[in-house]
Amino acid sequence: MLAPRVSRRSFEEKNRLVLDGLRPLDAADLRVWEQGRDWLAARALADETGAVKRRHPRARVTVQAHLAGYGGAFTDDLGFGGVALRTHRKPPLKRGDEAFVRLKLSGRSVYVSGEVSWTDATRLGISIRGIHPGDERLLQALVCEKLLHRWEGLN
């Protein structure tokens, strides 16, 4: 895999700005962040041979969540394209059902809509179909923060 076109330090700085939400990134900063995000995502998705294992990167992240029509939950992991939720009892949803979730990310409420892609006794996976672009960046920045160990030894 090629080295990233941005430095880790520059990416981390832009990623922190996205996470903090104190000010929006200007066009140049956003391009730098997107380059780092895309490189990190590609690195996270490829195994040692370079073969891609899944469509979206994900990371173990535990945050509070609320599943509409059900109640409190928390995340097992977050990804660019989905979220795995853990509940206290079997959720009333099944594969293919529409789901709406509120996540608490960096002190902000992020609303996602999607489709249930799998369930088990106390968990369910939701493929994200709808999310505000600013909230999507926040979710991606949080995943990237957890994946930064992939940058080790490069720069």
Side-chain angles (χ1 to χ4, degrees):
M1 166 156 296
L2 296 174
R5 296 187 310 187
V6 300
S7 71
R8 177 179 177 152
R9 183 176 180 189
S10 181
F11 175 74
E12 283 181 307
E13 173 187 302
K14 306 309 184 253
N15 205 58
R16 178 57 40 209
L17 291 172
V18 173
L19 289 171
D20 291 344
L22 299 177
R23 69 170 175 84
L25 298 179
D26 62 29
D29 285 343
L30 187 56
R31 274 192 304 279
V32 169
W33 179 78
E34 288 171 342
Q35 287 174 351
R37 175 206 61 197
D38 293 347
W39 178 86
L40 191 56
R43 186 164 173 96
L45 289 171
D47 64 15
E48 295 76 32
T49 67
V52 175
K53 300 183 289 188
R54 53 179 55 244
R55 286 184 289 178
H56 302 286
R58 66 179 177 177
R60 289 264 181 228
V61 179
T62 303
V63 298
Q64 289 181 333
H66 182 87
L67 180 59
Y70 177 80
F74 57 93
T75 62
D76 258 357
D77 62 43
L78 293 175
F80 285 13
V83 59
L85 294 177
R86 184 170 295 278
T87 59
H88 299 292
R89 60 186 191 280
K90 184 162 179 62
L93 301 171
K94 62 186 181 311
R95 187 180 168 123
D97 284 349
E98 193 171 31
F100 300 91
V101 180
R102 183 185 73 230
L103 304 168
K104 281 301 239 184
L105 303 178
S106 293
R108 293 177 274 180
S109 289
V110 171
Y111 297 89
V112 300
S113 62
E115 182 179 307
V116 176
S117 53
W118 59 267
T119 65
D120 68 18
T122 60
R123 298 179 311 143
L124 70 154
I126 299 170
S127 296
I128 296 173
R129 301 284 188 250
I131 185 171
H132 185 276
D135 291 342
E136 182 177 31
R137 272 193 294 279
L138 175 60
L139 183 140
Q140 291 172 352
L142 187 58
V143 172
C144 285
E145 181 180 55
K146 301 296 182 182
L147 296 176
L148 274 169
H149 66 279
R150 306 266 182 174
W151 220 297
E152 298 298 315
L154 293 176
N155 61 356

